[in-house]
């Protein structure tokens, strides 16, 4: 009889521990409502420019200033910039992306000791790599348009489902 009673007590203690662990898991599921952090227009521009400058120096160091590698690396940075900007500043992403391309190109296109040679290299690189520049701007612009359309649809659905006053 005593063994049966102690077995019930152990079973009850185990079930209490299970209930407690399940309740702690349910409190973790409440964290889904945590807001998704986004960058402002200025923040996304600065981050994009800093990333492109670092990638430009890495390209110069690892690949001998290959403009093709720099252009390929520019496309995902454009996409991430357009995805990371907050809803109120969506239209800044296609503007800051080309500026960041030019900032990072400073590290890749420098080809002379004098400022005239460096400036000539920068202008030449901008002219010859315009396809990558347009491509990255197109990626950022189309991503922003898709996000904006989804935002407007969400607002329209919320307004339609709102009870009348």
């Amino acid at each position: 009889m005593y063994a049966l009673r102690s077995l019930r007590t152990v079973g009850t203690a185990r079930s209490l521990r299970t209930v407690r662990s399940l309740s702690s898991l349910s409190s973790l599921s409440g964290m889904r409502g945590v807001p998704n952090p986004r960058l402002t227009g200025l923040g996304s521009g600065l981050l994009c420019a800093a990333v492109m400058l670092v990638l430009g120096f890495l390209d110069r160091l690892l690949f001998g200033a290959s403009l093709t590698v720099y252009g390929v690396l520019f496309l995902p940075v454009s996409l991430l910039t357009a995805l990371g900007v907050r809803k109120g500043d969506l239209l800044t992403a296609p503007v800051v992306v080309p500026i960041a391309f030019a900032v990072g190109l400073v590290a890749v296109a420098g080809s002379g000791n004098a400022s005239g040679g460096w400036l000539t290299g920068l202008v030449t690189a901008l002219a010859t790599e315009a396809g990558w520049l347009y491509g990255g701007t197109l990626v950022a612009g189309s991503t922003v348009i898709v996000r904006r359309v989804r935002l407007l649809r969400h607002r329209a659905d919320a307004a339609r489902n709102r009870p009348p006053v």
Side-chain angles (χ1 to χ4, degrees), residues 4-5 7 10 26 30 32-33 40 42 46 54 63 65 76 86 98 109 124-125 128 131 140 145 147 149 154 161:
L4 186 59
R5 202 177 302 153
L7 188 59
V10 170
S26 66
R32 290 186 198 144
T40 63
L42 179 62
L46 290 174
V54 168
F63 301 106
R86 67 182 183 165
T124 303
T128 58
I145 288 172
R147 284 187 62 199
V149 166
H154 178 71
N161 295 333

Side-chain angles (χ1 to χ4, degrees), residues 100-114:
F101 184 84
V103 167
L105 205 56
V106 168
V108 179
S111 64
N113 294 338

Side-chain angles (χ1 to χ4, degrees), residues 16-37:
L16 283 175
R17 273 187 258 143
T18 305
V19 168
R20 285 183 188 144
S21 65
L22 288 177
S23 67
S24 67
L25 287 177
S26 66
S27 68
L28 289 178
S29 67
M31 292 181 65
R32 290 186 198 144
V34 176
N36 190 5

Side-chain angles (χ1 to χ4, degrees), residues 40-117:
T40 63
L42 179 62
S44 64
L46 290 174
L47 181 66
C48 185
V51 168
M52 289 310 298
L53 188 63
V54 168
L55 287 176
F57 280 120
L58 284 175
D59 179 25
R60 184 180 197 104
L61 181 70
L62 299 175
F63 301 106
S66 170
L67 292 173
T68 304
V69 171
Y70 180 77
V72 168
L73 292 173
F74 174 64
L75 296 178
V77 172
S78 300
L79 177 67
L80 292 175
T81 300
L83 290 174
V85 70
R86 67 182 183 165
K87 295 174 186 174
D89 295 331
L90 276 176
L91 296 177
T92 60
V95 175
V96 300
V97 164
I99 296 169
F101 184 84
V103 167
L105 205 56
V106 168
V108 179
S111 64
N113 294 338
S115 63

